[in-house]
Amino acid sequence: MVAAIPAGRIATPNARSLIFYGNLQGVRAYEVVEQFDEDPKRFAALVERAENDWIVLPKYAPYAALIPLADSGKRYQRSVELDYTVIYRKIH
């Protein structure tokens, strides 16, 4: 998953893990700048602000409920879909 994100600012619910595995694999050129929780209102605001280049969203509960919010936003699009994660890229 970490190799799918070339560079940029990332929002994710698990910042520590994304930083750890990116460093471990020696491919981390990105910056994890925002960690979010499962609150739909706050996540919708994060999507609307579009301050991050990428959003990494797990497909498992409770974050799976946020996928429709990310899909319906106009500032991000699905870039990569893995077994347990969807990666959204900011539309420039």
Side-chain angles (χ1 to χ4, degrees), residues 13 36-38 40 43 57-71 78 84-86 88:
F36 57 86
D37 61 20
E38 69 275 5
F43 183 75
L57 190 54
K59 291 182 180 178
Y60 54 82
Y63 304 105
L66 302 177
I67 291 174
L69 291 172
D71 285 338
R78 283 184 187 225
Y84 301 104
T85 307
V86 181
Y88 292 86

Side-chain angles (χ1 to χ4, degrees), residues 20-41:
F20 173 79
Y21 285 108
N23 288 341
L24 182 68
Q25 294 179 14
V27 296
R28 188 168 76 86
Y30 52 78
E31 179 183 10
V32 179
V33 295
E34 190 164 357
Q35 184 165 316
F36 57 86
D37 61 20
E38 69 275 5
D39 182 272
K41 285 185 178 184

Side-chain angles (χ1 to χ4, degrees), residues 40-68:
K41 285 185 178 184
R42 287 195 293 246
F43 183 75
L46 178 149
V47 171
E48 183 60 30
R49 283 193 320 268
E51 295 174 344
N52 301 293
D53 300 305
W54 304 90
I55 296 175
V56 176
L57 190 54
K59 291 182 180 178
Y60 54 82
Y63 304 105
L66 302 177
I67 291 174

